[in-house]
Amino acid sequence: MEIWMHQLLQWLALPQFGLGTVFVVSFVSATLLPMGSEPAVFGLIKLNPDLYWPAIAVATLGNTLGGGVSWWMGLGAHKVVDKARGHHTDARALAWLERFGAKACLLSWLPVVGDPLCAVAGWLKLPFWPCMAYMAMGKFLRYLVMTSVLLHFMPGHLDF
């Protein structure tokens, strides 16, 4: 098993596969599935330090697009609920989020609440493109800070 895992990690770390893996993991982790993409990003960068900026960019793109899918899921859920009820849903309980508008999507990087926040933004019919822009900013800063901090505390190149 250890040899198989070692070979899998080496294969995923290859630049032609590593960035694709980071994209898929980042995309899926931005949906409501409980998963984290930071270990994949950190692992790829640790194995291939020259892929620092491409990995950050690909992870940001994948995570932002996944957040966009969550936004659309929230919008779709809102439409289904409105249709089932026969009237529009009252979202007064979420007035604080409406007050901040699309800027609230800057917090989409937060663990536990960040991904549902994207769905709630869709539910509230907040404007899609501004939400995507704020999601991208928040997610980029998260990957940049988390990866930099991890590299600071775990310097050196991994040797297999």
Side-chain angles (χ1 to χ4, degrees), residues 66-159:
V69 168
S70 293
W71 187 97
W72 283 105
M73 288 170 44
L75 178 64
H78 188 141
K79 288 181 178 183
V80 167
V81 169
D82 283 351
K83 187 174 183 179
R85 289 186 178 170
H87 60 83
H88 292 289
T89 304
D90 186 31
R92 287 180 221 203
L94 303 171
W96 68 271
L97 183 58
E98 288 180 315
R99 183 181 59 186
F100 291 107
K103 292 177 185 170
C105 289
L106 272 171
L107 301 176
S108 66
W109 65 271
L110 289 171
V112 181
V113 297
D115 297 329
L117 178 67
C118 299
V120 172
W123 175 276
L124 294 175
K125 300 178 184 173
L126 297 178
F128 179 73
W129 291 113
C131 285
M132 290 293 285
Y134 284 112
M135 279 185 233
M137 284 186 265
K139 291 170 183 289
F140 171 76
L141 291 173
R142 175 191 70 199
Y143 283 118
L144 185 66
V145 170
M146 288 188 77
T147 305
S148 297
V149 167
L150 285 171
L151 288 171
H152 176 74
F153 287 109
M154 297 180 193
H157 184 73
L158 292 178
D159 293 319

Side-chain angles (χ1 to χ4, degrees), residues 3-116:
I3 294 171
W4 177 81
M5 184 60 84
H6 173 71
Q7 289 172 341
L8 177 64
L9 288 173
Q10 282 184 329
W11 181 75
L12 290 175
L14 294 173
Q16 66 266 30
F17 300 117
L19 289 174
T21 302
V22 164
F23 178 84
V24 170
V25 170
S26 297
F27 181 88
V28 171
S29 71
T31 63
L32 299 178
L33 297 173
M35 179 177 184
S37 57
E38 291 80 7
V41 175
F42 176 69
L44 178 66
I45 292 172
K46 197 71 169 154
L47 292 171
N48 300 292
D50 56 318
L51 291 179
Y52 181 85
W53 288 110
I56 297 290
V58 166
T60 300
L61 178 64
N63 214 245
T64 301
L65 291 175
V69 168
S70 293
W71 187 97
W72 283 105
M73 288 170 44
L75 178 64
H78 188 141
K79 288 181 178 183
V80 167
V81 169
D82 283 351
K83 187 174 183 179
R85 289 186 178 170
H87 60 83
H88 292 289
T89 304
D90 186 31
R92 287 180 221 203
L94 303 171
W96 68 271
L97 183 58
E98 288 180 315
R99 183 181 59 186
F100 291 107
K103 292 177 185 170
C105 289
L106 272 171
L107 301 176
S108 66
W109 65 271
L110 289 171
V112 181
V113 297
D115 297 329

